[in-house]
Amino acid sequence: MQKNVSVSFRALSMMLFCFLSLSMLFTACGDDDDKEEEVITYPDGTTCTADGSVYCVNGVYAQPEIVIGEGVAKNKLTVDVTDSKGTTVTYTFKDLNGNGALDDYEDWRLSVSERAADLVSKMSLDEKAGFINAPSIAGVKTTDGSLPENSTDITDITDSYRRFGMLSSPGLPQATAAYINNLNKLCEASSLGIPFVVSTNPVHGTNNNATTSISQWPFAIGLGAVSDLEVTKNFALIARAELSALGIRCLFGPVADLATEPRWQRINETMGSDSETIAEHIVELIKGFQGGDSLQPGGIICTVKHFPGHGAQVKGYDSHYALGQYVVNPGDNFDEHVYPFQKAFAEANAAGSMPCYSIYKDQDFEQVASGFNEEILTNLGREQLGFEGFYTSDWGLFGIYNSGYGMIIPGSYASWGVEDLTPEAKIGKAIKAGMDQLGGHGTLDDIKGAITEGFMSEDDLDRACVTILRSYFTIGMFENPYADEAAAASICNSETNSAAGLDAMHRSMVLLKNSSALPVSASAKIYYEGNSSGTDNVFANFIEGGYEAEVVTDITQADIAVIRISGPSYSTFYPTEPTFMGYVGPSSRSLQYIDEAPDTEYGITPADYTDPVGVLYENVEIAGNIDQLEKVLNARKAIDDASAATKLIVIVNADRPVVVKEYVDKVDGLFLTFGATDEAVLDMVFAYEGLKPSGKLPFELPSSDAEVEAQLEDVADDTLNPAFEAGFGLTY
């Protein structure tokens, strides 16, 4: 078995910095980093300035690489310029519209704002309407990344003029890079040659053992448990290199929301509950992805979300549904939630931001979802906090688009406060409020209809297009939109990257309890139930091949039993909620497997439940994965019934805080993980190569559902008697 490789983060940083800087075209690693270039004067008597072209370095233009896709009938243009010393410099450009002349949007010597304005002036109304659409895309369907003739991606580009799409799950590296390159070849061949930007949600987090096309890391909340800025910085560098290698140039992240409401389902995407700490890490993540203190050529566009702070969801309900349509601030703590976004805009110049679905009930804003809210998007975001990037709406804000039916399914679905408006009126209100890009929308007609029906003007549409295009021009998409297909496989999930991710998983694990059970002797007899199918031959070979332990299948014959479980999960139908596209309603708010006070006020029908050791619970709701708790209780019963000496270790993968009272007294050791492979878990259990737990809780663990019910949604770590306080973590 291939085991952990020691990684020098300083060496890794330098290696990745050098690699990434090649794509930035004007940065070099080496002894001449600080050498100033001589400033020369061009025939017009000026030198380039840093607030002009993104390719201006020390007053001199740095020629970017110009790449035309194979088979694309576009040409390069050259311009000779003689400087003040009589030296002639030849610059190369891409003739994107094929007219044989150098248009302003093709001239990389101009500012991104000038280039964007010129391009928008050349776009038709259909092209502009299509450009602000940001749907999901089909993804790789062939082994070589080619586009099938019947691919909706082709018609989306040729007929709907789309130039942005979200890829939910990257496939094999070379095929993914080829697929995205093929999208861009199709776009480059179009009349204006506008490139295609592919985005994705954060995809590096793992809680399983599947081999992926990219390196595996803990989820964002796991980085919060590590709480080391150097790890955060290096994660951003590695993730940026891997996404770039795939051809993905936009990230719908990082998540700057605070984990102040323990019941909220999206806590695993956050980095914890402390606003100051989270702000520091968010700034470093954005800088790492974008390439510096602001977005740079070769960078990844960061879309920090969910502005102005999504963590204080009313009672923890999901904002996709009516029960969760409000963010509340009973503790008057709104500014604390805004703070990480303030830092992201001011210190890292985030190029993008995604507003929250919810209405901010306790604030002096118009009572509509933030995506329609001018007071939030423009007054707060742009005027007060100085955000200069583009806003992308979250998916479904205007209704659910079903491509199979080619229509928006009627219903509100997160259009909170404007449910009764027509699609055209919703779009017009959002754009007028400051929105730029429509996430997951789907059609051109209602965007154009918003103009013809007077809900917005074409100037408003132009403003949105220019705002988005500035980022396209900044990262160099118009000069070279292509990924290196041959290099993708060696960059993604390399041994070095995988080792860094494994190290982060180790460091994210939080030891909550240890009754002289850990670490485990290398020669121990071990019973193991991992993330997959338990103690089968796969895990026997895995453990015995890597740790020299003897695997047993009878728990009573083991020296140590290690059982992995997930936290409680509920998916409950609420009769008061409409259903759309298979969604059945928000999850239960219980942080226990047995919810002793279910939400009967919303139509939940409780029932009786008897656990494996015979305890009867009356009128309760049980988690959909109650079998996870039963695994622990059955193991404890088997050990006790046999009077065995087996030590029971439980590893809980937590996507939010959990209440551990149902099993904490029944185990000899307890770890909390936030996305960790079996290898990472076993390394720690066996203290492989001297490993010791160092993770700290990024939020508190409440002692009961009742105490969670009494806390304030917007205040961090405020239950009366937490079982474990934020920052807690044992070691060996």
Side-chain angles (χ1 to χ4, degrees):
M1 183 177 88
Q2 181 66 45
K3 291 303 301 167
N4 189 10
V5 177
S6 176
V7 179
S8 165
F9 283 124
R10 178 176 176 82
L12 179 61
S13 296
M14 288 303 298
M15 179 188 70
L16 284 167
F17 182 73
C18 291
F19 166 77
L20 291 167
S21 295
L22 291 176
S23 65
M24 291 170 60
L25 305 173
F26 53 78
T27 303
C29 291
D31 296 335
D32 296 331
D33 281 353
D34 300 323
K35 181 179 179 180
E36 293 187 5
E37 296 186 46
E38 183 181 6
V39 177
I40 56 178
T41 304
Y42 291 91
D44 60 2
T46 64
T47 58
C48 69
T49 59
D51 59 354
S53 171
V54 295
Y55 299 105
C56 180
V57 183
N58 295 327
V60 178
Y61 292 117
Q63 169 73 55
E65 183 181 15
I66 306 297
V67 179
I68 297 173
E70 183 179 356
V72 178
K74 293 291 172 74
N75 298 308
K76 296 179 182 180
L77 300 170
T78 59
V79 174
D80 292 336
V81 176
T82 302
D83 64 27
S84 57
K85 294 185 176 182
T87 302
T88 299
V89 180
T90 299
Y91 294 124
T92 305
F93 308 86
K94 190 185 299 186
D95 187 9
L96 288 159
N97 61 7
N99 67 355
L102 181 61
D103 294 274
D104 282 354
Y105 84 94
E106 299 164 339
D107 190 344
W108 48 259
R109 296 170 300 178
L110 299 180
S111 71
V112 295
S113 294
E114 291 173 299
R115 298 180 72 184
D118 179 62
L119 176 56
V120 171
S121 73
K122 293 174 167 59
M123 295 168 70
S124 68
L125 180 58
D126 277 358
E127 286 172 322
K128 289 185 286 190
F131 184 75
I132 69 167
N133 254 330
S136 297
I137 54 180
V140 183
K141 302 298 182 184
T142 58
T143 56
D144 62 355
S146 59
L147 303 178
E149 290 184 4
N150 62 349
S151 172
T152 57
D153 289 335
I154 295 177
T155 53
D156 281 348
I157 289 171
T158 58
D159 299 349
S160 299
Y161 305 103
R162 290 176 177 164
R163 294 299 185 270
F164 190 101
M166 185 182 77
L167 183 62
S168 299
S169 181
L172 293 175
Q174 190 163 344
T176 300
Y179 162 71
I180 296 174
N181 282 349
N182 285 324
L183 295 179
N184 268 302
K185 289 176 186 177
L186 191 62
C187 291
E188 192 172 54
S190 67
S191 61
L192 292 172
I194 302 171
F196 197 100
V197 166
V198 174
S199 68
T200 191
N201 281 317
V203 291
H204 280 80
T206 181
N207 67 344
N208 56 46
N209 299 295
T211 300
T212 67
S213 59
I214 53 179
S215 57
Q216 295 181 308
W217 293 71
F219 288 108
I221 194 65
L223 292 178
V226 176
S227 195
D228 185 329
L229 284 175
E230 290 303 312
V231 174
T232 297
K233 291 176 185 178
N234 282 282
F235 164 72
L237 287 174
I238 289 172
R240 173 187 167 193
E242 294 187 335
L243 293 182
S244 295
L246 294 171
I248 296 171
R249 303 304 300 277
C250 178
L251 176 72
F252 283 154
V255 173
D257 304 323
L258 301 184
T260 59
E261 168 46 62
R263 297 164 290 191
W264 188 40
Q265 286 288 331
R266 302 188 69 171
I267 282 179
N268 70 323
E269 299 175 46
T270 77
M271 296 190 73
S273 59
D274 180 70
S275 63
E276 186 69 48
T277 301
I278 302 319
E280 290 179 349
H281 285 267
I282 291 296
V283 165
E284 294 303 331
L285 283 171
I286 295 171
K287 287 182 177 181
F289 276 106
Q290 293 195 163
D293 292 341
S294 62
L295 186 63
Q296 299 293 322
I300 299 285
I301 299 166
C302 278
T303 309
V304 62
K305 58 187 187 182
H306 304 84
F307 184 70
H310 196 4
Q313 278 297 128
V314 59
K315 297 185 177 181
Y317 281 124
D318 187 339
S319 60
H320 289 85
Y321 308 96
L323 289 173
Q325 65 184 288
Y326 293 110
V327 163
V328 294
N329 284 276
D332 194 25
N333 211 29
F334 175 75
D335 289 347
E336 197 83 1
H337 288 259
V338 175
Y339 181 71
F341 293 92
Q342 176 185 342
K343 302 288 276 189
F345 298 158
E347 296 185 11
N349 293 288
S353 183
M354 182 176 286
C356 172
Y357 282 126
S358 299
I359 297 171
Y360 285 76
K361 187 176 183 181
D362 300 328
Q363 301 304 309
D364 189 22
F365 298 132
E366 182 185 5
Q367 292 300 282
V368 296
S370 60
F372 302 103
N373 200 312
E374 183 176 1
E375 293 166 320
I376 289 176
L377 300 184
T378 298
N379 298 355
L380 176 60
R382 296 200 185 279
E383 295 174 3
Q384 294 183 41
L385 301 182
F387 175 59
E388 296 181 348
F390 64 93
Y391 286 116
T392 300
S393 77
D394 212 335
W395 262 229
L397 185 67
F398 307 96
I400 300 177
Y401 179 73
N402 187 322
S403 58
Y405 293 98
M407 62 176 287
I408 297 290
I409 295 177
S412 59
Y413 186 66
S415 297
W416 308 126
V418 298
E419 296 93 331
D420 296 333
L421 296 184
T422 64
E424 294 83 0
K426 289 179 183 178
I427 289 167
K429 183 172 179 58
I431 296 295
K432 293 289 284 187
M435 186 66 69
D436 302 297
Q437 193 175 60
L438 311 183
H441 180 61
T443 70
L444 296 180
D445 289 343
D446 47 11
I447 298 174
K448 294 188 294 182
I451 296 173
T452 58
E453 295 180 30
F455 295 112
M456 69 181 192
S457 68
E458 191 167 353
D459 286 344
D460 294 321
L461 179 59
D462 289 352
R463 185 268 308 157
C465 289
V466 167
T467 306
I468 301 167
L469 276 166
R470 287 201 300 257
S471 290
Y472 278 50
F473 282 112
T474 299
I475 63 176
M477 289 296 291
F478 284 81
E479 283 65 61
N480 179 13
Y482 299 106
D484 184 343
E485 298 170 21
S490 61
I491 294 170
C492 294
N493 205 15
S494 69
E495 183 177 322
T496 301
N497 293 358
S498 297
L502 181 61
D503 179 76
M505 289 185 221
H506 292 152
R507 297 179 63 179
S508 70
M509 295 178 62
V510 179
L511 180 60
L512 299 177
K513 179 180 180 181
N514 185 15
S515 299
S516 302
L518 294 161
V520 177
S521 167
S523 59
K525 294 180 180 179
I526 183 171
Y527 173 91
Y528 188 74
E529 292 187 25
N531 275 358
S532 298
S533 56
T535 53
D536 56 17
N537 289 334
V538 172
F539 283 103
N541 294 336
F542 181 84
I543 293 168
E544 292 174 347
Y547 305 95
E548 301 177 0
E550 178 185 351
V551 177
V552 297
T553 57
D554 182 346
I555 194 171
T556 66
Q557 300 301 309
D559 299 313
I560 193 83
V562 179
I563 296 177
R564 299 197 67 179
I565 63 174
S566 57
S569 176
Y570 293 76
S571 183
T572 306
F573 174 69
Y574 286 76
T576 58
E577 288 282 325
T579 61
F580 301 114
M581 298 286 287
Y583 291 98
V584 296
S587 297
S588 166
R589 296 172 292 124
S590 176
L591 301 184
Q592 301 175 205
Y593 293 99
I594 303 168
D595 184 359
E596 299 178 63
D599 297 333
T600 55
E601 68 268 35
Y602 297 115
I604 295 301
T605 302
D608 294 346
Y609 168 73
T610 301
D611 72 16
V613 294
V615 178
L616 172 65
Y617 297 85
E618 298 182 285
N619 295 316
V620 298
E621 182 186 7
I622 62 172
N625 62 344
I626 188 67
D627 64 302
Q628 300 294 289
L629 173 62
E630 291 173 341
K631 284 168 64 175
V632 179
L633 299 181
N634 283 325
R636 182 78 269 165
K637 186 175 187 302
I639 293 168
D640 290 346
D641 286 351
S643 298
T646 308
K647 296 284 189 178
L648 179 59
I649 308 299
V650 169
I651 318 289
V652 185
N653 189 69
D655 57 5
R656 57 179 176 168
V658 292
V659 173
V660 298
K661 70 176 184 178
E662 294 160 313
Y663 50 85
V664 67
D665 292 335
K666 297 177 173 58
V667 303
D668 301 292
L670 181 62
F671 268 109
L672 211 63
T673 65
F674 307 99
T677 60
D678 282 310
E679 180 180 8
V681 167
L682 287 165
D683 281 348
M684 188 61 70
V685 166
F686 286 109
Y688 185 81
E689 293 187 344
L691 276 174
K692 294 183 178 181
S694 61
K696 305 297 180 184
L697 284 176
F699 42 58
E700 70 176 18
L701 299 189
S703 58
S704 69
D705 277 345
E707 291 213 351
V708 172
E709 191 73 28
Q711 55 86 47
L712 304 179
E713 289 96 332
D714 59 326
V715 178
D717 308 319
D718 64 329
T719 60
L720 188 60
N721 299 293
F724 296 94
E725 294 183 349
F728 180 85
L730 301 174
T731 191
Y732 300 153

